[in-house]
Amino acid sequence: GAVVSQHPSWVICKSGTSVKIECRSLDFQATTMFWYRQFPKQSLMLMATSNEGSKATYEQGVEKDKFLINHASLTLSTLTVTSAHPEDSSFYICSASITSGRANEQFFGPGTRLTVL
Amino acid sequence: AQSVAQPEDQVNVAEGNPLTVKCTYSVSGNPYLFWYVQYPNRGLQFLLKYITGDNLVKGSYGFEAEFNKSQTSFHLKKPSALVSDSALYFCAVRDRGGATNKLIFGTGTLLAVQP
């Protein structure tokens, strides 16, 4: 149980286009989802915390108008990278949190590799 | 400020030998502590966690970790390393008293197990 999927697993896009990444909790309901980005050989940096039905909370330095997060249901959150640029190329990982009984443990998706040309 | 430190960028160990990956933390109050493993181009896989109770926590794939409150450490250990254990390991902490359940990650330690 507690499986999180991400789609797509990798994407290549042209500079200036927008890319949407989906994060789904497959066998549980997650009121909270998190979005991270990871640069090569570096740690995960939290970008935003997403609660179902409400606006995401962005970490300091993360542009909310560039990284649009939608958490429309208890099993789906999406991250849209708008007007992507090469510096947005990164590995994006989501996680989903069970609200009770499991100490709010986070379960991570497999990640999405974004390459902006 | 909350933080997690993994002082070693890389740990090298021969197959069959014991391994230790170090982690120290700094949080207010009592923490929840986690270890995750990441294989190349993959997401994080949960290994183990400490919430309360016994200081020695046993997890997946034969790994264990010892919570030491006086030293604010949570080192990851395994009695006998396998080549397949080679991966990137992350220690993380969540402040129990925090308003959200955000995780703070260490910088990661690359474990290389030589055959």
Side-chain angles (χ1 to χ4, degrees):
Chain A
V3 178
V4 177
S5 70
Q6 281 184 242
H7 179 80
S9 56
W10 59 271
V11 57
I12 301 173
C13 69
K14 293 182 179 179
S15 186
T17 61
S18 294
V19 175
K20 179 184 285 188
I21 302 170
E22 293 185 347
C23 177
R24 294 181 184 272
S25 56
L26 298 184
D27 50 2
F28 66 99
Q29 292 186 328
T31 56
T32 304
M33 288 185 173
F34 302 85
W35 287 96
Y36 299 84
R37 66 186 298 182
Q38 183 183 29
F39 292 104
K41 299 183 179 180
Q42 294 190 25
S43 187
L44 280 72
M45 301 298 295
L46 179 65
M47 299 174 66
T49 302
S50 168
N51 290 296
E52 185 264 339
S54 62
K55 292 182 178 180
T57 301
Y58 290 81
E59 295 298 300
Q60 191 173 8
V62 178
E63 299 176 59
K64 62 180 181 180
D65 295 329
K66 180 169 184 62
F67 298 99
L68 300 178
I69 293 173
N70 183 278
H71 194 162
S73 76
L74 287 172
T75 59
L76 173 64
S77 176
T78 60
L79 168 68
T80 301
V81 183
T82 62
S83 186
H85 290 284
E87 58 265 29
D88 298 325
S89 298
S90 189
F91 194 52
Y92 292 86
I93 302 175
C94 75
S95 71
S97 177
I98 295 175
T99 55
S100 63
R102 298 282 296 265
N104 292 331
E105 184 176 334
Q106 290 186 33
F107 299 93
F108 287 81
T112 297
R113 173 75 59 191
L114 170 63
T115 302
V116 185
L117 302 177
Chain B
Q2 303 171 63
S3 65
V4 177
Q6 291 181 246
E8 303 154 316
D9 290 336
Q10 183 163 338
V11 169
N12 298 306
V13 64
E15 186 175 30
N17 283 359
L19 69 88
T20 298
V21 183
K22 296 180 180 178
C23 172
T24 59
Y25 65 90
S26 175
V27 299
S28 57
N30 296 316
Y32 287 158
L33 293 159
F34 301 81
W35 275 102
Y36 290 88
V37 59
Q38 185 182 32
Y39 295 95
N41 294 312
R42 301 291 296 276
L44 272 65
Q45 295 180 31
F46 170 79
L47 280 179
L48 51 81
K49 65 182 176 185
Y50 172 82
I51 300 174
T52 187
D54 290 340
N55 290 341
L56 185 63
V57 179
K58 294 188 181 297
S60 306
Y61 313 120
F63 284 92
E64 59 188 28
E66 185 170 9
F67 172 65
N68 188 317
K69 188 173 183 178
S70 62
Q71 297 184 7
T72 61
S73 68
F74 190 56
H75 301 329
L76 181 71
K77 300 181 180 183
K78 186 173 183 180
S80 179
L82 300 173
V83 173
S84 57
D85 293 329
S86 299
L88 190 57
Y89 290 80
F90 289 100
C91 180
V93 64
R94 182 172 76 81
D95 186 356
R96 281 177 163 174
T100 69
N101 52 353
K102 294 194 300 184
L103 288 175
I104 299 169
F105 285 89
T107 50
T109 298
L110 182 64
L111 174 65
V113 181
Q114 285 87 36

